[in-house]
Amino acid sequence: MAVPVVFFAVFFAYPVVAIVLRGFHADGHWHFGKVADVLGDPDVGHVLWFTLWQALASTALTLLVALPAAYVFARLDFPGKQALRAVVTVPFVLPTVVVGTAFLALVGRGGLLDDLWGVRLDTTVWAILLAHVFFNYAVVVRTVGGLWAQLDPRQEEAARMLGASRFAAWRRVTLPALAPAVAAASLMVFLFTFTSFGVVQILGGPAFSTLEVEIYRQTAEIFDLSTAAVLTVVQFAAVALILFVHARTVRRREGALRLVDASVTARRPRGAGQWALLAGVLATVAVLVVLPLAVLVQRSLDAPGFRYYRALTRDDGGTFLVPPINAIGNSLLYAVVATVFAVLVGGLAAAALTRRDAGRLVRGFDALLMLPLGVSAVTVGFGFLIALDRPPLDLRASWIIVPLAQALVGVPFVVRTMLPVLRGVDERLREAAAVLGASPWRVWREVDLPMVRRALLVAAGFAFAVSLGEFGATVFIARPDNPTLPVAVARLLSRPGDLNYGQAMALSTILMVVCAVSLLVLERLRTDRTGEF
């Protein structure tokens, strides 16, 4: 636990605490009275209310759209199922900046809907909600569908034989078994939408602001650190509560069910109802998932002779100090280094958490590992600049500061991927190796590692994908001469002109392709046949 604890203490807790304390302490005095002033501000109240209700609305809409697809992937077998599973997961590993850009190309000014029917949804709440459904669709499909595929269908069939209708059998038998998975997926969707930043910033315009966007505005534009500190504490408290509820839900899910092999529960569609459901899910995926991505690619090719892509190789001396194409190499380098950090820290944490003699303190650290997913990335990024400014941790001028911040987001994915597999290793195998004289290191190398090698590769892939798309913290610490892909996309979108817009579409397409390739590799390396996260 030493390495994970030190890593999180230095690169997470210290920067966050430093920026919060800087906000509450100014002119040699503490200003805790600022809390009442900020929370009593009607504008802040509007931000808090919008953050809450849009997260609730996004969660409800995502469940409504994705639950039928969860059933289709769990219970129906059809050609191209594995490829379609990978397609619906692509949005989840895409950076939020790319998601916002894709929907901007679909519903924004000059977008597909604007060209065809004169309809624009950008700067409206509907664009934000649809983008959130697009981003979180896979969370519900794979989390709920993964469990649904392993539920024994004979229980529901027995209820039908005893006279229950199809709906009654589903409501009385299947739904209670699925409830923990649905709750866990709902809480994760709520967490991601509650802390939404890139999507709201690009699609919402000045009229809509979540807590994360407001923290960025107060920090980077107004430089009101006191208000930003109060909002950070509020968001931290809310996220801690969400993660506490999520942890309890996951524990219920792990201990309350008896599962069967998922490969025997899926059957070819039978009857008009199942075929209609399959067709409806395919149409939803085509419109909700494929169409925005296709429009993004089409907009990047809108100019003759690949003009937007060729423009990426030129330095205009305005937005960047280097040609935008350099952002590709920067992002790949940063993501690789961040993946190494994330796998090292997350792997050690997962190994420690699997020990049966781990104390309550160690088990509690499991929940803390999830905090980087919910704590304001803006706060973390600005905290890096404020806190890591003195030797021996003066990293502001070093390129390593970017992958360190990105690794914080990758560690939770590594832990969540490796922990179930490590817990599944028979303890008697380790004990037998130890009795035969193997050292603890050799036991790990010859017993644990062969069993978790594939999970380790999957964890590395997820860490690489999320590091590649990290935006909230990187936007503060990436230097103008070394921008990352998400930062480059956001800066191009902030400048007027068709050429800047086209270059943003081109860079987003490149980033989408890299993430999609990473995901397809992950799909081949899945450690189970259910496709569950």
Side-chain angles (χ1 to χ4, degrees):
M1 288 297 295
V3 172
V5 168
V6 170
F7 181 83
F8 269 78
V10 174
F11 298 113
F12 179 68
Y14 177 49
V16 170
V17 171
I19 191 66
V20 171
L21 292 181
R22 179 72 65 92
F24 284 117
H25 188 268
D27 303 324
H29 302 285
W30 293 98
H31 300 278
F32 292 112
K34 184 72 173 179
V35 175
D37 296 336
V38 171
L39 297 182
D41 188 337
D43 291 336
V44 172
H46 176 75
V47 170
L48 293 172
W49 170 242
F50 175 74
T51 302
L52 178 62
W53 87 257
Q54 66 82 25
L56 291 172
S58 297
T59 303
L61 194 58
T62 303
L63 290 175
L64 180 66
V65 174
L67 282 177
Y71 171 82
V72 166
F73 281 102
R75 293 297 196 220
L76 302 185
D77 187 22
F78 53 91
K81 180 178 177 179
Q82 298 302 323
L84 187 65
R85 194 198 309 275
V87 169
V88 301
T89 315
V90 166
F92 181 74
V93 298
L94 285 180
T96 55
V97 172
V98 174
V99 174
T101 306
F103 272 82
L104 196 64
L106 179 64
V107 302
R109 178 183 61 84
L112 181 64
L113 297 186
D114 191 17
D115 289 344
L116 293 178
W117 299 296
V119 175
R120 286 185 56 185
L121 297 179
D122 60 321
T123 70
T124 71
V125 71
W126 285 108
I128 296 173
L129 296 181
L130 288 174
H132 283 164
V133 174
F134 169 85
F135 183 77
N136 294 290
Y137 188 79
V139 176
V140 176
V141 168
R142 299 188 68 136
T143 303
V144 179
L147 179 63
W148 207 335
Q150 293 180 280
L151 292 181
D152 192 343
R154 291 173 296 184
Q155 298 179 29
E156 190 172 325
E157 292 168 359
R160 294 289 307 280
M161 292 184 64
L162 293 174
S165 65
R166 184 180 297 274
F167 177 75
W170 178 82
R171 181 174 57 87
R172 300 285 296 275
V173 177
T174 304
L175 183 59
L178 286 176
V182 174
S186 301
L187 284 167
M188 289 307 295
V189 174
F190 183 85
L191 174 64
F192 290 139
T193 53
F194 187 84
T195 58
S196 183
F197 177 49
V199 167
V200 179
Q201 188 183 44
I202 292 175
L203 295 176
F208 299 102
S209 180
T210 58
L211 266 174
E212 186 84 356
V213 174
E214 187 63 19
I215 291 171
Y216 174 80
R217 192 175 74 88
Q218 295 290 339
T219 302
E221 298 177 6
I222 303 177
F223 206 71
D224 185 352
L225 294 186
S226 297
T227 300
V230 174
L231 297 179
T232 297
V233 172
V234 171
Q235 182 168 320
F236 182 85
V239 168
L241 178 62
I242 295 169
L243 292 179
F244 174 76
V245 175
H246 178 258
R248 291 179 62 86
T249 304
V250 169
R251 282 197 294 271
R252 281 185 56 200
R253 177 183 169 188
E254 289 179 344
L257 301 174
R258 295 294 181 267
L259 307 178
V260 298
D261 187 353
S263 62
V264 302
T265 61
R267 302 174 180 174
R268 291 190 63 82
R270 292 178 297 180
Q274 289 191 348
W275 281 107
L277 180 61
L278 176 58
V281 168
L282 293 177
T284 301
V285 171
V287 173
L288 181 66
V289 178
V290 177
L291 182 59
L293 300 179
V295 171
L296 177 64
V297 177
Q298 185 270 328
R299 293 299 182 193
S300 73
L301 300 171
D302 220 9
F306 299 97
R307 178 185 171 218
Y308 296 144
Y309 287 90
R310 286 189 290 108
L312 296 176
T313 63
R314 296 193 297 268
D315 177 15
D316 62 1
T319 308
F320 308 103
L321 300 178
V322 293
I325 196 71
N326 289 17
I328 300 174
N330 296 334
S331 288
L332 292 175
L333 173 63
Y334 292 154
V336 169
V337 177
T339 300
V340 173
F341 286 140
V343 169
L344 175 63
V345 175
L348 290 173
L353 292 168
T354 56
R355 292 185 60 88
R356 293 183 178 178
D357 57 349
R360 185 174 299 178
L361 183 62
V362 174
R363 292 193 297 270
F365 188 65
D366 186 16
L368 295 178
L369 291 171
M370 292 287 288
L371 283 179
L373 293 181
V375 173
S376 170
V378 171
T379 300
V380 175
F382 198 63
F384 266 48
L385 294 181
I386 295 295
L388 305 181
D389 62 342
R390 296 183 185 137
L393 289 175
D394 187 1
L395 302 177
R396 291 177 301 173
S398 174
W399 65 272
I400 200 71
I401 192 173
V402 175
L404 284 172
Q406 294 174 343
L408 287 171
V409 184
V411 168
F413 287 91
V414 174
V415 174
R416 295 272 72 81
T417 303
M418 293 189 63
L419 199 54
V421 181
L422 283 170
R423 284 174 174 167
V425 177
D426 194 337
E427 184 67 25
R428 292 173 296 181
L429 295 176
R430 300 187 181 105
E431 294 170 352
V435 169
L436 292 173
S439 65
W441 165 245
R442 189 175 180 185
V443 170
W444 162 257
R445 179 166 51 88
E446 298 193 12
V447 177
D448 291 77
L449 185 59
M451 295 187 178
V452 302
R453 183 182 291 115
R454 184 172 295 179
L456 187 64
L457 293 173
V458 172
F462 269 122
F464 178 82
V466 298
S467 299
L468 195 67
E470 204 288 321
F471 174 64
T474 309
V475 71
F476 278 94
I477 56 182
R479 299 187 313 195
D481 57 339
N482 286 301
T484 64
L485 277 170
V487 172
V489 170
R491 289 179 181 171
L492 286 167
L493 285 175
S494 66
R495 298 187 68 191
D498 291 338
L499 182 60
N500 289 315
Y501 179 82
Q503 289 183 86
M505 296 295 164
L507 275 180
S508 296
T509 300
I510 293 171
L511 188 51
M512 179 188 71
V513 170
V514 174
C515 289
V517 170
S518 302
L519 180 67
L520 290 174
V521 173
L522 290 181
E523 191 67 24
R524 295 183 63 86
L525 293 173
R526 281 182 300 126
T527 56
D528 61 88
R529 284 174 284 182
T530 68
E532 182 181 3
F533 278 136

